[in-house]
Amino acid sequence: MSRIDPIPVTIITAPSQMAGLDPDAALIRLPANSGHGHADGAVCVACAAQVDVRALLYNLLEEQRRGLRPAFKRVVVDACAVDPQQVVAALTGKLPAQALRDHTVARMFYLVG
């Protein structure tokens, strides 16, 4: 069985940090409130699904595995519109794993910086 190197993840927290992405990078944008009628910060299952960085990273792996997206060697997460501490907590094991995908993400990705 071959060893797979973990993929680095960089979090961008200000638009000025966004630079041109190289071809081997995948970009995930975490949107703010979706605008479907609730106040910012309100608990909303639909909005939570859009900003679940572990689920989004897992989806990247699956899309690549199935040939639906080009291969990537690193990931940039645009967290300008959300609380970046939640993203950091999700990627550093501070949030409990909710599904098998979370364990896969913990093995396959690591936070840079």
Side-chain angles (χ1 to χ4, degrees):
M1 183 175 196
S2 63
R3 185 171 99 54
I4 299 173
D5 290 329
I7 300 165
V9 176
T10 303
I11 297 174
I12 302 299
T13 58
S16 61
Q17 296 173 319
M18 187 63 75
L21 293 177
D22 46 30
D24 64 347
L27 174 66
I28 294 176
R29 290 189 191 275
L30 302 178
N33 178 343
S34 66
H36 59 258
H38 61 74
D40 286 344
V43 176
C44 173
V45 175
C47 290
Q50 292 179 348
V51 297
D52 182 345
V53 71
R54 293 185 294 194
L56 296 169
L57 287 168
Y58 183 81
N59 290 347
L60 281 178
L61 286 176
E62 281 299 298
E63 289 168 2
Q64 179 180 308
R65 183 184 66 78
R66 293 169 46 201
L68 300 173
R69 83 164 17 261
F72 56 91
K73 294 182 181 174
R74 66 186 194 95
V75 177
V76 174
V77 177
D78 178 355
C80 296
V82 298
D83 177 6
Q85 291 308 313
Q86 284 297 102
V87 178
V88 170
L91 294 176
T92 57
K94 304 279 192 281
L95 298 180
Q98 300 296 315
L100 181 58
R101 67 157 197 253
D102 296 343
H103 296 287
T104 300
V105 167
R107 282 192 318 274
M108 295 299 300
F109 296 95
Y110 70 95
L111 185 61
V112 176

